[in-house]
Amino acid sequence: MKNLGQHWRRYDVSGDEYIKRGTRVWLRATLALFSAGLATFALLYCVQPLMPALSEQFGVSPTASSLSLSVSTGLLALGLLITGPLSDAVGRKSVMVTALLMAAVFTLIAATMSSWHGLLILRALTGLALSGVAAVAMTWLSEEVHPSALAFSMGLYISGNSIGGMSGRLLSGLIADFSSWRAAVAVTGCFALAAALLFWKILPPSRHFRPASLKPRSLLLNFRLHWRDPGLPLLFAEGFLLMGAFVTLFNYIGYRLMAPPWSLSQAIVGLLSVVYLTGSWSSPRAGALTVRYGRAPVLLFSTTVMLAGVLLTLFSHIWVILAGMMLFTAGFFAAHAVASGWIGPRARRARGQASSLYLFSYYLGSSLAGTPGGVFWMHFGWNGITLFITAMLVMALLVGLRLRRKYL
């Protein structure tokens, strides 16, 4: 590993020292951020297929059980307002490494909790810690990667998120079915700890980071600058709507498929997380397509794919439902890759804070939409969930159309 690290430190870049696609340092950075994205989403979403088991274990309703995810995403959203500006002042890598290690440790402790409120507290701390990765990774890419490779590199990072979400759901669903939810959470924590150590070892140092002030006046000035930009607030809205729709579907699809007429087991429901592999393909593909067709058209097409996918889940045939989940997931990760990759080029300064505001909106959508979706599930069943998600996606399309008119 030492020789490999020395070998990879030879930057194959031009005089400006930006990381170019295909070089050794690009491979190193890609692997590091891929592992960070994988660990982040695995830690965040490992409880999603466990919600029926948590309902049974702690005697809580589906809506209450969804808090095990919502408190994580909610605290993550709030933490983004701190960790993004913090990384602008103290550096990117140190913030990301500390955050990922802390999140893994909190997850391991959560596996030992015997009370519902204790579990929720640990899940909240996990989300707060993960804000230090989510807020900074995209900023690191936008600063260090050559503009010609940025869209593709951002797509690869997002694909790590998709595989992490799949791995967290898949592992936890399988392990819970054959052992317990505690074992599932513990294994996920160990997996994330290993990924954090790999990330620490191989992520290249920043070459273009310039410290910014943490003074409240400077933060407020940059905050106002981002919100006055004609494009950034629209991208923040897209993040909120896309993630709100995505997390709502996966929060409650397990309840639907474990009930008659399907009566699938916890393990089989966990296996359905393989649909996340479509996101690992679609996100870098979407990044590449933006170079040819532009960001707004690809964003609109990806959101339309999501809408088609959720409508397919209304059918009763299990293979049609699975096809709908695959389309929905592919569309989501493609749209998220485009919207998140748009933030860096739009932000005129304090890119860490701009990325934080996008991700604040993104995870706020997860937190605010995920739990109320349970009300639609309990009163209207899957038809209500579909209506709820469709409404958010229609609003996302309207926002995308406005972005197209402004920036096509």
Side-chain angles (χ1 to χ4, degrees), residues 351-393:
R351 290 177 175 176
Q353 188 179 27
S355 294
S356 294
L357 287 171
Y358 170 80
L359 290 170
F360 170 79
S361 304
Y362 177 81
Y363 287 108
L364 192 65
S366 173
S367 184
L368 294 184
T371 297
V375 177
F376 282 82
W377 166 251
M378 294 179 69
H379 291 282
F380 307 107
W382 193 252
N383 290 338
I385 290 289
T386 303
L387 177 63
F388 185 65
I389 294 173
T390 298
M392 285 189 286
L393 292 179

Side-chain angles (χ1 to χ4, degrees), residues 157-379:
Y157 168 67
I158 300 300
S159 75
N161 292 349
S162 70
I163 294 178
M166 180 200 71
S167 301
R169 289 173 173 90
L170 180 61
L171 286 174
S172 59
L174 288 172
I175 295 170
D177 205 37
F178 293 104
S179 181
S180 68
W181 70 267
R182 296 183 189 279
V185 172
V187 169
T188 304
C190 291
F191 167 77
L193 187 60
L197 294 173
L198 175 67
F199 176 75
W200 187 2
K201 177 70 176 178
I202 69 172
L203 183 71
S206 296
R207 292 295 185 97
H208 297 88
F209 170 73
R210 299 294 181 269
S213 174
L214 267 179
K215 295 180 180 179
R217 182 178 179 181
S218 297
L219 294 177
L220 181 60
L221 179 64
N222 291 329
F223 179 85
R224 293 173 63 187
L225 180 69
H226 296 323
W227 281 102
R228 287 179 177 176
D229 183 274
L232 286 175
L234 296 175
L235 292 171
F236 300 158
E238 283 285 41
F240 178 94
L241 294 166
L242 293 171
M243 187 55 163
F246 181 75
V247 78
T248 299
L249 185 141
F250 281 95
N251 270 4
Y252 302 102
I253 193 70
Y255 286 100
R256 185 189 186 201
L257 296 178
M258 291 175 72
W262 305 280
S263 300
L264 301 182
S265 68
Q266 181 77 67
I268 297 299
V269 171
L271 282 171
L272 293 179
S273 298
V274 297
V275 300
Y276 269 56
L277 290 175
T278 63
S280 68
W281 172 83
S282 68
S283 50
R285 181 64 177 166
L289 288 174
T290 60
V291 178
R292 183 174 181 180
Y293 297 106
R295 293 185 177 95
V298 177
L299 179 63
L300 286 168
F301 176 76
S302 302
T303 307
T304 303
V305 171
M306 288 182 71
L307 182 58
V310 72
L311 293 177
L312 283 178
T313 65
L314 286 169
F315 290 86
S316 58
H317 198 288
I318 188 64
W319 293 109
V320 178
I321 295 173
L322 179 60
M325 293 171 65
M326 292 174 66
L327 279 176
F328 184 83
T329 304
F332 167 74
F333 280 103
H336 175 42
V338 175
S340 60
W342 208 338
I343 296 295
R346 282 295 318 168
R348 284 176 281 179
R349 64 184 183 189
R351 290 177 175 176
Q353 188 179 27
S355 294
S356 294
L357 287 171
Y358 170 80
L359 290 170
F360 170 79
S361 304
Y362 177 81
Y363 287 108
L364 192 65
S366 173
S367 184
L368 294 184
T371 297
V375 177
F376 282 82
W377 166 251
M378 294 179 69
H379 291 282

